[in-house]
Amino acid sequence: MIFAFMNPVINGPMYLVVAILLYVGFSDAATGRTTPGTIMAAITYTTQLLNGILMLVMLFQIISRGLVSKSPANARWGKLFSELVFAGQEAMV
């Protein structure tokens, strides 16, 4: 399905955010202001949040595609296509 793999355009910003968190976390851990567990928790939470936003965006995309496919213009093309396909089958009978 559409969620089986993620587009590199989506992966890029996600990995960029993780890299920023690692950089900030490294400097904070070096000065003793935070622990590695806190950094890992921030990375996990941020990744889950970005994946949730991605799923929501994909849901809106799927809904809008469904509404477009339900439009009268698409119904006319579907009717024309089915007439062409079934006309050939009737001629063979």
Side-chain angles (χ1 to χ4, degrees):
M1 173 129 189
I2 206 166
F3 303 115
F5 61 94
M6 292 176 40
N7 193 345
V9 175
I10 300 300
N11 281 338
M14 189 178 304
Y15 292 141
L16 181 66
V17 168
V18 169
I20 290 169
L21 285 172
L22 284 172
Y23 180 75
V24 171
F26 172 75
S27 61
D28 284 351
T31 59
R33 290 186 290 192
T34 190
T35 63
T38 306
I39 297 166
M40 281 305 301
I43 290 171
T44 303
Y45 176 70
T46 304
T47 305
Q48 288 178 354
L49 184 67
L50 291 173
N51 277 327
I53 292 170
L54 173 67
M55 294 282 195
L56 186 64
V57 168
M58 289 179 133
L59 183 67
F60 284 129
Q61 192 177 36
I62 290 170
I63 289 171
S64 64
R65 285 180 184 173
L67 291 174
V68 167
S69 71
K70 188 179 156 184
S71 71
N74 197 15
R76 283 192 299 257
W77 282 107
K79 183 178 178 188
L80 177 64
F81 180 74
S82 66
E83 287 174 358
L84 290 173
V85 170
F86 291 128
Q89 289 179 356
E90 289 172 359
M92 294 184 346
V93 173

